[in-house]
Amino acid sequence: MTTTVTHSPDYRPEISVIPPTRDGLSFWQFMIAGSISGSVEHMAMFPVDTLKTRIQALAGSSTLRQALASILKSEGPAGLYRGIGAMGLGAGPAHAVYFSVYEFCKQRFSIGNPNNPLAHAISGVCATVASDAALTPMDVVKQRLQLKSSPYKGVRDCARRILVEEGIGAFYASYWTTVLMNAPYTAAHFSIYEAVKRGLKEGSPGSDGGEGLVVHATAGAAAGSLAAGLTTPLDVVKTRLQCQGVCGCDRFSSSSIRSVVRHVVEKDGKSGLMRGWIPRMLFHAPAAAIAWSTYEASKTLFQHLHNHNN
């Protein structure tokens, strides 16, 4: 026996263009949680990022201790925070895009399996391509302000002079390098984070399966440090491109990754491509722990508000 379903002539199937909620949250709530997370992460770890930039930007040898001593001697503690305004302007919007795109793609690509590592990796790549478009211009400004004896007075002056003297393309000279760096970084980061988080939850005797602060922080730190170490060479290339021609930094005739890599190897040897790996890992381990803890805490707050209102 078959049943025929008929509709009126005016019937139109409802097609939603708004992604359904996940974990009881809406798209805008993921954006707010991501924005808070990114801002807290970068503000807290900014001094370490300044040290990494100083080490990577110029040819020659410089250790973490030497870079820190140089900044404190010539500029004082305030030198560690030069350029933080640019990051403050860029981190919030970029991370709002980053986490919301990740959650959206993760839901779409998981195909009913929330523990699908391939879906986590692909979603992470999609998230970084979108967020880097928002963050890269402010990252350029931030890194130029972080340089020793930076000629710029502040965020506005730096952005204006780059635009007037070099054109809008200077803000995106490192974009594809950044994407090529952050794509594998993010793919590894999200996959490791989800795997470690799942392992910690399953391996805790007597656990009710909940996700606490320690789980998020530990999984985030592991994911951040491992992914950061693997992608340091591309981070060196990105820093050289963003700081070229400023404060004695080399200028490149081409923004291709191959030409910059060749230049770095000729001047500093192959080890030059790993310059700054220690501060990079020291930045990303706690930064990722802070980011994921803040992000998940913000999501939990929204979930409590959602459940309370219902």
Side-chain angles (χ1 to χ4, degrees):
M1 178 179 177
T2 60
T3 303
T4 302
V5 179
T6 59
H7 299 288
S8 67
D10 295 330
Y11 171 78
R12 294 290 185 277
E14 183 178 349
I15 301 176
S16 175
V17 295
I18 302 175
T21 60
R22 182 177 178 274
D23 296 334
L25 302 183
S26 301
F27 192 73
W28 68 269
Q29 290 172 312
F30 286 123
M31 294 189 73
I32 293 176
S35 180
I36 295 171
S37 167
S39 298
V40 171
E41 167 197 355
H42 283 283
M43 299 302 105
M45 299 304 301
F46 195 83
V48 182
D49 184 62
T50 298
L51 293 172
K52 177 191 72 69
T53 298
R54 292 285 181 97
I55 292 172
Q56 290 181 337
L58 292 170
S61 60
S62 179
T63 65
L64 181 63
R65 181 177 296 179
Q66 289 171 338
L68 177 59
S70 175
I71 292 175
L72 293 178
K73 181 179 179 179
S74 60
E75 304 166 58
L80 293 168
Y81 290 92
R82 184 168 168 80
I84 195 171
M87 185 50 63
L89 291 172
H95 281 72
V97 172
Y98 186 79
F99 282 104
S100 56
V101 170
Y102 173 71
E103 295 285 0
F104 173 77
C105 293
K106 179 181 175 181
Q107 180 181 2
R108 286 288 186 262
F109 297 143
S110 291
I111 316 176
N113 178 13
N115 297 323
N116 185 344
L118 181 59
H120 300 155
I122 295 174
S123 299
V125 172
C126 293
T128 198
V129 170
S131 66
D132 283 343
L135 184 61
T136 296
M138 282 296 101
D139 194 40
V140 172
V141 173
K142 182 266 298 180
Q143 291 207 305
R144 292 198 180 193
L145 288 170
Q146 287 176 318
L147 294 175
K148 184 178 181 180
S149 303
S150 175
Y152 307 107
K153 298 177 181 178
V155 175
R156 180 179 297 180
D157 178 59
C158 182
R160 182 186 61 80
R161 288 177 58 181
I162 292 174
L163 183 62
V164 172
E165 297 170 9
E166 303 174 52
I168 195 169
F171 289 109
Y172 284 95
S174 65
Y175 175 68
W176 289 114
T177 301
T178 303
V179 169
L180 288 175
M181 173 188 71
N182 284 341
Y185 170 85
T186 310
H189 183 114
F190 279 108
S191 298
I192 294 170
Y193 173 77
E194 298 284 359
V196 173
K197 184 176 71 171
R198 187 169 63 253
L200 290 172
K201 288 168 59 181
E202 294 174 352
S204 299
S207 172
D208 59 358
E211 299 177 7
L213 176 64
V214 174
V215 170
H216 296 143
T218 303
S225 60
L226 290 174
L230 292 172
T231 55
T232 296
L234 284 170
D235 190 50
V236 171
V237 174
K238 183 204 76 166
T239 299
R240 294 292 180 93
L241 284 172
Q242 290 183 337
C243 298
Q244 60 180 311
V246 182
C247 299
C249 296
D250 296 325
R251 182 171 289 282
F252 304 98
S253 58
S254 169
S255 59
S256 74
I257 295 175
R258 180 178 297 180
S259 66
V260 178
V261 168
R262 187 184 304 116
H263 181 87
V264 171
V265 172
E266 287 175 356
K267 290 198 114 179
D268 296 332
K270 292 182 180 179
S271 62
L273 293 171
M274 289 302 294
R275 292 189 66 187
W277 71 271
I278 294 178
R280 179 167 164 77
M281 292 184 71
L282 288 176
F283 173 90
H284 280 282
I290 292 169
W292 280 110
S293 299
T294 306
Y295 177 64
E296 299 287 1
S298 300
K299 281 173 56 179
T300 299
L301 174 62
F302 281 129
Q303 287 166 347
H304 284 323
L305 292 174
H306 175 78
N307 294 334
H308 178 73
N309 292 332
N310 290 337

